[in-house]
Amino acid sequence: MTMAHPSFQPPGWRWLKAQVWGLEHAFERAKAAGKAEDDTRIRIFFVLALFSASFLTLAIGATNSAVFSNLGRGDGGAAAVGSARADLVDRNGAMLAADLLHYGLYIDPQEIWDKGEVRRALLGSIPSLTPARLNRALNGQRRTFVLGGLTPESRARVHALGLPGVTFEREERRVYPLGQTAAHLIGFADTGGVGLAGAERALNDLAHQNAAAGAPVALSIDLRVQAALEDELYKAATLHQVKGAVGIVTNVHTGEILGVASYPTFDPNQAGKSSPDALTNRAAASVYEMGSTFKVFTVALGLDSGTATLASTFDARAPLTMNGRTIRDYHAENKVMSVSDIFIHSSNIGTTKLALQAGSGTVQKYYKAFGLTTAAPVELRESAKPIVPRRWDDNDVASTSFGHAISVSPLAVAAGMGSVLNGGTYVPLTIRPVKPGFRPKGARAVSEETSRAMLDLMRVNVVRGTGGKANAPGMRVGGKTGSANKVIGGRYSNNILVSSFAAVFPTDGPLDADRYFVLILMDEPKGTSETYGFATGGWTAAPAAGRVIDRIGPFLGVDRRPEVVGTTPAEAVVPIESEH
Amino acid sequence: MSVFSRKIRGFRLVDVVAAGLLVAIILSVYLAKTIAGGERTEIATVEKQIEAERDRIRLLQAEVAHLEQPSRIEQLSAAHLGMAPMAAKNEITPETLGDVMLAAQLKAATAKRAAEPPKVEVAAPVEPAAKPLTQVARVSIPGVQQ
C-alpha cells in the first residue's frame, strides 16, 4: 500500500502549475498596467490557436479515416493470387477454360453431437462423398477437409440442412465447359493451378499473369472450325475403325492453328480417369511416316532447286532397284512421266529419281528449310522431335522422297506445307491469335514461283488425280494423298497403313490471298464396303478432308465459286485405287 | 464593454461560444464518422453482392458454354429437328439471289414446255428449249468465270 503524504505532488505537475500561474500573473500584470484589450486579445488568440490546431488535426484524421481508409486493402475486388489462372477463350472469345467458384467441405467433430444424423444427411446430399472419407473426418479430433469442388448449388443444398460443425471454404477450380472439344489443344491443369498439358501448360505463366490483370488468354482456334473438324474426323475415325486420327487446320500465312483434333480424345475435367492413349496429342506428340504427302516437299525442292521443271521427264517404265531393294509404283503407268504426272499419279519411281537427281545435300537443305528435321516450333511442349535418317545416303534420299524412313509430327507437316503453299516462307505454327492483317515474316523456303506451281499442281491432283474425293464444291481444293505402310515388327506391312490427305484451299487467287491448310491423318484405317475395301488416303482421309473444307470454308470467309458447284470432274469421282 | 470581456453567468461569452463550437464540431465529426461507417458497411455489402453476382455470372457463362458446345448442339439438332450441315447447293449469297430466281423460272418454263403435248401438224423445226435457256443462265451470272 502506498503511503504518500497528502500534500505530495509530482514534480511535473508542480512545474505545469507554475507555468499556468506564471501566465495568469502575466495577464494580471498586463491588466494592471492598463492594457486590458491586449490581455483579452492574447487570451482569445491563444485559445483560438489551440482549438484550431486541435480541430484541424481532428478534421484531417477524420477525413483520412472516412475517405481513404479502404484504399489498398483490395477487399472490393477479386484479387487473383497464387494458383489463379486466366480464362482460356477461342479467337472469337468463346470460353474454353475458366476458374470457377467452388467450395470445400470441412467438418469439425467437436461441434457435432449427433454424428449419425450428420452422416446420413451428408451422404444423402452429396453423391460423390464416400462413407469412409466422411467417417474418418467425423471420428477425428479436429476440423478436417472432407471434400472439394462443391458447386454453389451443392453447397446451398448442404447449407440448408443446418448441420452443426459443417462449414465451407471458397476455392477456385479449373473447369473446361466444352468437355472433349479441343481437349488436346486446351490441355488441363492440376488443382494447384499448374498447367500440365496443352495450352494450359504452354501458356502457364501467361495464364497466371493475365489472371492478376483479369484478362483472358486467347487461343488461335476458331470453335466453329474446331467443331466441324472434330465432327468429321471422329465420324471418319469411327467408320474406318482407326487406331488413331489427327485433324489440323491452319492459316498458311500466319501459322495460326485454327483447329486441331486428335482421336481418341478425353475430357479434361476428368483427365486423371483417361487412358494415356487418349491423353496423347497425336498432332504434336506422335511422329508418323507420312507416305506420299511428302511428295509435295520432294517436287517442290526439285522445282525450286532447278533440278527439274514441271515438264521435265523421268523414266518410270520399270521398277527402280538400288542397294538390293526395289521401288515400285503401286499403280504403275509404265511410261516416261513428266513431273506433273509423277505428282498426279504419285509415282514413287519418278519421285525417287527426282530426289536423287537433286542430290542428298539439296534434299537435306530443303527438308531443313521446311522444318522437317526438327520439332515443330509451336508453343505446345508436346511437340515431338522427328526421326530422321542418320546418313542421308542415296537409299535414305530415295525413301524420304516418298515419305518413308522419316517420321515427323503432323504439326511439322502442317508447318512445312504452309511454307510451300504461302508464297514460300516458313512461318512457325502458333496457338495464339495474331493481330488482324499481321503476317509474320518467315524464312524463305522456296520461291514464289515454286509456291504457285505447287498450288496449281495440288489443284490438278484433286481435279484429275488421287484427291478427287476431297473436292469440296466451289472451294477450289488442292491436295495430295498419302498412304504409308506401317513398320510392324521391323518390316513394312503390306496392308497396315497410315493414310493421310494434305489439302489447301482455295488454290486460286494471288499468293498473298487468304489460304488454309487442312491435314487429315488416320492411323491403321480399315476399308469399308463403300471404299471397296481400300484404306488408302484417297478413300479414307480425302473424303473427310473434303467434308471439313466444305463446312469450314464459309466460316473462314472463303466464297464458293457458283460455276463449279456440283461439277466434280469425272476423273476425280473414283480415285486411283491405291496410291502411295 | 468589449464583446470579448462580456460574461454570461460568470463565463466569458467567447468561452461559451468556443465551447459551443467545440461541442458542435465534435458532434458533426461523430455524425460524419457514424454516417460514413454506415455507408462503408453498405458499400462492403454491395461489393460483396457484386462479387457474388460476378461469380454467378461466370458460373452461368460456363454453363452456357457447356450447353452450347457444338457437338451437343449438333446432336440435338440432328436428333430432334432432323437438321444436318448445310449442303453447298443450299448456300446462296445476296448477290446471286436474282440468278437463283431466274434459274428457277427457266426451270419452270422448261418443265412447262416439256409437259405440253407435241403438235403433230407442225413440221417446221422446233426451237430447242434448253439451248437458249442455258445461254441466258450463263450470261446472267456476274463476275463468275464461265
Side-chain angles (χ1 to χ4, degrees):
Chain A
M1 188 174 175
T2 306
M3 296 297 289
H5 192 274
S7 62
F8 173 78
Q9 288 178 333
W13 177 247
R14 196 184 298 170
W15 176 83
L16 185 63
K17 278 176 68 180
Q19 292 298 317
V20 171
W21 278 116
L23 190 65
E24 190 64 25
H25 290 156
F27 288 142
E28 286 174 359
R29 280 198 301 274
K31 191 177 180 181
K35 295 180 179 177
E37 302 89 351
D38 294 343
D39 165 44
T40 306
R41 283 173 187 166
I42 289 170
R43 282 182 178 237
I44 289 171
F45 175 78
F46 180 75
V47 170
L48 275 178
L50 196 65
F51 274 81
S52 296
S54 303
F55 283 116
L56 193 64
T57 306
L58 278 174
I60 290 171
T63 305
N64 184 54
S65 298
V67 179
F68 302 111
S69 59
N70 282 335
L71 280 186
R73 291 187 188 174
D75 55 355
V81 290
S83 62
R85 298 177 68 83
D87 290 359
L88 291 186
V89 298
D90 84 338
R91 64 189 301 114
N92 300 315
M95 183 186 282
L96 303 174
D99 278 358
L100 290 186
L101 175 63
H102 283 67
Y103 292 91
L105 174 68
Y106 291 79
I107 286 181
D108 188 351
Q110 305 294 334
E111 296 181 12
I112 298 173
W113 58 85
D114 188 347
K115 292 182 179 177
E117 184 195 356
V118 171
R119 185 182 293 111
R120 279 191 301 277
L122 286 179
L123 289 175
S125 301
I126 309 173
S128 58
L129 182 59
T130 60
R133 194 168 189 174
L134 181 57
N135 288 337
R136 205 159 47 240
L138 286 172
N139 296 326
Q141 296 299 315
R142 56 184 176 181
R143 187 170 180 261
T144 312
F145 171 77
V146 180
L147 187 68
L150 290 181
T151 61
E153 285 76 16
S154 302
R155 183 235 180 213
R157 200 166 55 241
V158 176
H159 188 69
L161 297 173
L163 299 172
V166 176
T167 52
F168 305 90
E169 284 188 12
R170 288 170 62 109
E171 62 179 28
E172 296 289 338
R173 177 158 287 212
R174 198 64 167 168
V175 171
Y176 305 93
L178 299 185
Q180 296 185 346
T181 305
H184 289 97
L185 180 71
I186 297 169
F188 53 89
D190 66 13
T191 51
V194 178
L196 298 179
E200 289 278 45
R201 183 183 178 194
L203 307 175
N204 190 54
D205 294 341
L206 186 64
H208 287 305
Q209 289 167 16
N210 282 20
V217 174
L219 301 185
S220 59
I221 63 167
D222 184 321
L223 196 53
R224 301 167 302 172
V225 172
Q226 179 72 27
L229 175 68
E230 288 184 353
D231 185 47
E232 295 299 341
L233 182 74
Y234 297 163
K235 281 177 184 169
T238 306
L239 177 67
H240 295 290
Q241 302 170 50
V242 301
K243 181 181 177 185
V246 173
I248 299 172
V249 179
T250 64
N251 181 325
V252 297
H253 293 295
T254 63
E256 292 167 292
I257 296 174
L258 302 173
V260 58
S262 177
Y263 176 89
T265 187
F266 70 102
D267 183 352
N269 295 301
Q270 298 177 323
K273 296 178 181 175
S274 304
S275 69
D277 187 48
L279 290 173
T280 302
N281 182 356
R282 287 172 159 76
S286 298
V287 293
Y288 299 93
E289 290 190 1
M290 295 297 296
S292 292
T293 46
F294 249 58
K295 287 170 184 165
V296 172
F297 299 123
T298 309
V299 171
L301 74 87
L303 297 177
D304 198 67
S305 64
T307 305
T309 65
L310 286 174
S312 301
T313 56
F314 290 86
D315 187 355
R317 287 176 295 183
L320 179 65
T321 302
M322 53 186 300
N323 299 329
R325 62 186 284 226
T326 303
I327 296 171
R328 294 185 173 83
D329 285 346
Y330 287 86
H331 38 87
E333 293 289 310
N334 296 322
K335 65 179 185 182
V336 175
M337 303 173 82
S338 67
V339 171
S340 299
D341 284 342
I342 287 171
F343 189 82
I344 293 165
H345 293 282
S346 201
S347 168
N348 292 342
I349 300 168
T351 314
T352 299
K353 289 190 173 180
L354 175 61
L356 289 173
Q357 189 168 315
S360 174
T362 303
V363 170
Q364 286 183 67
K365 183 187 111 184
Y366 276 95
Y367 277 14
K368 188 177 179 185
F370 296 143
L372 301 172
T373 56
T374 53
V378 65
E379 293 91 342
L380 296 171
R381 303 280 185 85
E382 296 92 334
S383 183
K385 289 181 180 176
I387 302 171
V388 297
R390 288 180 184 174
R391 295 192 302 270
W392 286 100
D393 56 17
D394 283 354
N395 208 29
D396 291 333
V397 170
S399 297
T400 55
S401 72
F402 51 87
H404 279 199
I406 182 169
S407 299
V408 297
S409 69
L411 282 184
V413 173
M417 289 283 181
S419 71
V420 175
L421 303 169
N422 69 359
T425 56
Y426 184 85
V427 177
L429 297 182
T430 179
I431 61 172
R432 300 295 318 283
V434 302
K435 290 178 183 173
F438 175 72
R439 297 247 171 118
K441 285 187 177 179
R444 176 63 57 187
V446 294
S447 68
E448 292 186 351
E449 291 74 22
T450 302
S451 184
R452 179 76 263 168
M454 292 310 299
L455 281 169
D456 294 339
L457 202 52
M458 290 174 79
R459 174 61 181 154
V460 172
N461 189 45
V462 167
V463 174
R464 286 176 40 209
T466 56
K469 286 189 177 294
N471 195 26
M475 289 292 169
R476 296 91 76 201
V477 180
K480 181 72 189 81
T481 53
S483 308
N485 301 97
K486 282 192 79 173
V487 176
I488 306 292
R491 303 187 64 177
Y492 281 106
S493 166
N494 285 328
N495 53 3
I496 299 177
L497 304 174
V498 171
S499 300
S500 58
F501 190 77
V504 60
F505 76 101
T507 50
D508 60 353
L511 278 175
D512 60 354
D514 287 338
R515 193 160 282 123
Y516 304 95
F517 173 77
V518 176
L519 177 70
I520 298 292
L521 179 146
M522 295 195 190
D523 189 1
E524 300 188 14
K526 313 288 186 301
T528 65
S529 57
E530 286 80 18
T531 66
Y532 307 100
F534 293 117
T536 52
W539 287 100
T540 56
R547 287 192 296 271
V548 169
I549 293 168
D550 193 39
R551 289 177 63 174
I552 68 174
F555 298 145
L556 299 173
V558 179
D559 295 329
R560 292 186 195 275
R561 288 290 168 83
E563 79 276 16
V564 294
V565 173
T567 57
T568 304
E571 296 89 341
V573 171
V574 180
I576 297 163
E577 64 182 28
S578 176
E579 77 296 333
H580 280 254
Chain B
M1 183 182 257
S2 169
V3 70
F4 296 113
S5 305
R6 186 178 295 172
K7 291 187 176 182
I8 300 173
R9 295 177 184 270
F11 297 100
R12 279 196 181 89
L13 178 62
V14 288
D15 289 347
V16 172
V17 170
L21 195 62
L22 177 65
V23 170
I25 290 175
I26 289 172
L27 199 63
S28 64
V29 169
Y30 169 76
L31 287 174
K33 287 292 289 180
T34 305
I35 293 168
E39 296 289 335
R40 196 159 51 210
T41 305
E42 194 173 339
I43 289 169
T45 306
V46 171
E47 282 180 345
K48 210 170 179 179
Q49 284 177 351
I50 291 171
E51 187 63 22
E53 289 300 324
R54 195 175 285 146
D55 289 336
R56 178 92 180 132
I57 288 169
R58 285 179 56 76
L59 199 66
L60 290 173
Q61 283 174 336
E63 196 169 333
V64 167
H66 174 71
L67 293 174
E68 287 185 347
Q69 59 182 297
S71 57
R72 179 176 177 275
I73 296 292
E74 189 166 346
Q75 280 178 359
L76 291 175
S77 58
H80 299 292
L81 302 174
M83 297 176 79
M86 189 168 61
K89 66 178 181 182
N90 294 333
E91 286 182 22
I92 188 78
T93 59
E95 293 78 20
T96 52
L97 272 173
D99 302 327
V100 172
M101 188 184 294
L102 182 61
Q105 288 172 349
L106 294 172
K107 192 177 177 183
T110 308
K112 188 178 177 183
R113 287 190 185 186
E116 286 177 357
K119 296 177 180 178
V120 179
E121 69 280 7
V122 177
V126 178
E127 193 71 18
K131 193 175 178 182
L133 291 175
T134 307
Q135 287 171 346
V136 170
R138 281 181 185 164
V139 170
S140 68
I141 301 174
V144 172
Q145 291 180 359
Q146 298 292 327

